[in-house]
Amino acid sequence: MVDHLQVSYAIPPEWQAKLERLAAARNLTSAEVLYEAIAHYLGEDTSRLQTLEDKILVLQEAVADLNATVTQLKRQVIAPVLPPNIGSSPSLRASTPTQPLSYEDVEDEPDEILYDFLEP
C-alpha cells in the first residue's frame, strides 16, 4: 500500500518565490509547506501545527512567569535602598520601575531635623 502519492503542480513564479521564502523562514522544504497548506485547507489536523501551537502556549506562560519574577526582583532591589518614609513623598509616588529612585528624590530635609532640637 502506498503511503503518499506524488503530485505535480504549476504555480506562478511569484507564488514559488513566496513559497520558498516561507519555507526558508520556517526551516522546511517547499513540499512540507505545501503539504501543511493542503492539510489545513482540507481540515486535516497536522501534528506539526498542533505541536507549534502547544509550544506557543508554553512560551507565553514562560514569558508571563518571567515578567512576574522581574517585577518581584525590582521590588526587592529598590525597597532596601529607600528609607521607610518613602510613601509620604509625592515625588516618589510618581516614579516608575524604569526610572530607579535616587537619594535626591527623597525629601528628608536634614536641616530641619538637625536644628529642631537646638536652642535658639
Side-chain angles (χ1 to χ4, degrees), residues 16-28:
Q16 182 65 29
K18 287 181 182 180
L19 180 63
E20 288 172 359
R21 282 194 302 271
L22 179 62
R26 295 183 57 206
N27 291 328
L28 297 173

Side-chain angles (χ1 to χ4, degrees), residues 54-112:
D54 293 343
K55 286 181 180 181
I56 288 172
L57 289 175
V58 169
L59 288 173
Q60 287 173 335
E61 291 173 2
V63 167
D65 289 345
L66 285 173
N67 282 333
T69 302
V70 167
T71 302
Q72 181 183 7
L73 288 173
K74 282 181 181 178
R75 288 183 188 142
Q76 290 175 356
V77 169
I78 291 174
V81 174
L82 300 174
N85 62 353
I86 186 168
S88 63
S89 174
S91 64
L92 295 179
R93 283 188 222 121
S95 68
T96 62
T98 58
Q99 298 172 332
L101 297 173
S102 66
Y103 287 108
E104 290 81 25
D105 295 331
V106 179
E107 298 174 14
D108 59 356
E109 302 176 13
D111 55 336
E112 282 184 22

